[in-house]
Amino acid sequence: MSFLDIPEGTDVIEVRKQINQMLSEARKSAKPTKCILCGNTQTSFCNSHSVPQLALRPIADNGMVLHASAAMGFDEEIVDIENGVNKSGTFNYICRNCDGTFFQDYENEANLIKNPTDKMLAEIAVKDMLLLMSKGATEKELAKIQQKKFSCFDNVEDLIGLKELDADEFEEEMLFHKDIADRNETGGYQVLFWKVLPYVIPIAAQSAIALPSDMEGKKVNDVYDYNPNIRMQYMHLCFFPLKNQSVVLAFYHKRDKFYRSLRHQINSSSEDKVLKYLNYLLFAHTENYFISKSVKQEIENSDALQKLSQETNGLPTMGYLNCDNDFGVGYTPVTMDEIPDFLDSKWAVV
């Protein structure tokens, strides 16, 4: 099931070329002039990994991993569905010195298999928000390029305005967690779930999620409230496959009280159910994950997984509603029981 229906006779090479050109131009325009962490002026930025390479290498097949685009059902003639570890999940937003020093507590296998410290959790949160900042800046520049080339937005200024509001929120959130890491403060984070699994899971991931609802469907964030005075509250989700084991971690900062009910729900659920739920959250609410080719066939054969990966807050096709999908009327969101649970030991990479 391909997310992009390519009309017969389309020159896919030309389409791919145009997409890559626009993305390259947008990324170049989106780069800041200073490192966001240290504030020093930069002429070039580090190729930072949004998921540590130590979690990508154990699932790589001849150095290659599948990207989220594989689960989303994109046409691989148009969009890359796999790439090498060195080019997977990278973004250019901070300097080499900051990339090599700021995250060293959590980007360490010996530390990951121990109870996470607040400094480690703060470093993860900073990385997550940096990725959102970089992604948002690129999307804003891409919208400008698309409008110039194709006039595809009725009011591009509104879209850019929303991206700028998001950027302010992401930066404030990043600085909040950076301050915790810099001061080495303790007692601020609440771990929802942390487990070292005795096998290598086939997915590596790290993301911040503004969760719209909890395990029981109760509202957490109103993700469609664009009031600039409303701050989204984030949880952080990590899947780290290691050499012979894996770490699954979910946490939030205690100031984000919307997640209290979710914490109680997780604490009262079986470990198997929690793992299945976190596996569902990954595909439902993030794009920053990388998959072992050992489960490629299962991904390609699971219509439910591709449908879920294409949902945005329970709406089909990335939330873009039109007559082609009946404006979402009658669409039933995919549930966690309909998709393969890749945190289960039966999918372990051997």
Side-chain angles (χ1 to χ4, degrees):
M1 181 175 65
S2 176
F3 175 61
L4 290 176
D5 292 323
I6 309 299
E8 187 176 346
T10 298
D11 185 343
V12 293
I13 295 176
E14 180 61 27
V15 172
R16 183 185 180 93
K17 181 180 176 181
Q18 284 199 37
I19 290 174
N20 288 339
Q21 284 179 339
M22 288 190 295
L23 284 173
S24 178
E25 184 180 341
R27 288 171 183 144
K28 184 177 180 180
S29 299
K31 286 183 183 179
T33 57
K34 296 181 179 180
C35 172
I36 302 300
L37 290 183
C38 67
N40 292 331
T41 301
Q42 302 292 320
T43 55
S44 63
F45 292 83
C46 181
N47 222 25
S48 303
H49 276 78
S50 55
V51 176
Q53 291 189 68
L54 65 86
L56 295 174
R57 294 192 190 101
I59 64 171
D61 181 354
N62 292 320
M64 305 293 285
V65 292
L66 296 174
H67 290 192
S69 51
M72 292 176 180
F74 280 98
D75 191 318
E76 58 186 304
E77 290 188 282
I78 302 295
V79 178
D80 288 333
I81 67 167
E82 64 177 70
N83 216 324
V85 166
N86 290 340
K87 295 183 178 180
S88 294
T90 56
F91 65 100
N92 305 105
Y93 225 61
I94 58 176
C95 69
R96 294 185 183 279
N97 181 61
C98 287
D99 185 71
T101 58
F102 187 87
F103 306 103
Q104 60 186 351
D105 294 273
Y106 100 89
E107 292 186 343
N108 180 306
E109 183 165 345
N111 290 341
L112 285 174
I113 60 175
K114 301 174 185 176
N115 281 300
T117 65
D118 277 49
K119 195 169 193 302
M120 290 169 61
L121 299 179
E123 290 173 8
I124 290 171
V126 168
K127 177 71 74 71
D128 288 347
M129 301 319 296
L130 284 172
L131 177 63
L132 289 179
M133 291 170 67
S134 176
K135 185 173 180 287
T138 300
E139 289 172 349
K140 185 178 78 169
E141 296 304 317
L142 184 60
K144 294 177 182 178
I145 295 168
Q146 290 173 320
Q147 184 69 1
K148 184 177 180 179
K149 287 180 177 290
F150 308 115
S151 299
C152 48
F153 301 105
D154 290 334
N155 194 338
V156 71
E157 290 79 13
D158 287 347
L159 176 60
I160 291 172
L162 288 175
K163 293 295 181 185
E164 290 173 347
L165 284 176
D166 285 343
D168 291 340
E169 179 173 291
F170 297 156
E171 183 172 5
E172 289 175 7
E173 190 82 7
M174 184 276 292
L175 292 173
F176 172 79
H177 295 290
K178 180 180 181 295
D179 188 58
I180 293 173
D182 289 342
R183 295 173 180 270
N184 203 13
E185 295 179 356
T186 60
Y189 292 100
Q190 179 67 58
V191 173
L192 288 164
F193 184 83
W194 174 78
K195 181 73 176 180
V196 179
L197 302 174
Y199 48 88
V200 181
I201 59 177
I203 298 179
Q206 181 182 322
S207 283
I209 305 173
L211 201 62
S213 57
D214 60 22
M215 291 179 78
E216 297 176 354
K218 297 175 183 175
K219 183 181 289 186
V220 177
N221 286 286
D222 185 351
V223 294
Y224 294 110
D225 189 339
Y226 301 120
N227 185 330
N229 297 316
I230 300 296
R231 181 182 68 85
M232 292 294 108
Q233 297 189 12
Y234 295 89
M235 64 169 284
H236 300 267
L237 182 63
C238 304
F239 295 173
F240 295 143
L242 305 173
K243 292 176 183 176
N244 300 300
Q245 53 199 338
S246 305
V247 173
V248 178
L249 169 65
F251 68 93
Y252 67 96
H253 194 276
K254 291 178 182 176
R255 71 169 181 166
D256 295 331
K257 303 184 190 307
F258 292 169
Y259 289 98
R260 286 179 175 176
S261 62
L262 179 61
R263 177 167 63 90
H264 293 308
Q265 292 162 10
I266 286 177
N267 287 341
S268 61
S269 299
S270 69
E271 181 177 296
D272 287 345
K273 182 177 180 181
V274 174
L275 288 171
K276 182 181 288 189
Y277 174 67
L278 297 179
N279 176 77
Y280 164 80
L281 290 186
L282 178 78
F283 293 104
H285 298 293
T286 81
E287 298 173 10
N288 194 47
Y289 56 86
F290 305 91
I291 311 165
S292 168
K293 295 176 76 172
S294 65
V295 296
K296 183 178 181 180
Q297 185 174 358
E298 183 65 25
I299 287 173
E300 292 176 341
N301 292 340
S302 177
D303 286 345
L305 184 61
Q306 290 192 13
K307 282 178 62 179
L308 177 62
S309 299
Q310 295 171 15
E311 287 182 4
T312 296
N313 300 316
L315 298 175
T317 55
M318 308 300 182
Y320 296 115
L321 304 181
N322 54 41
C323 58
D324 291 337
N325 55 30
D326 297 324
F327 298 97
V329 175
Y331 179 78
T332 302
V334 177
T335 67
M336 69 180 187
D337 293 319
E338 296 179 74
I339 64 170
D341 177 11
F342 290 119
L343 300 185
D344 190 285
S345 60
K346 73 178 183 180
W347 299 110
V349 178
V350 294

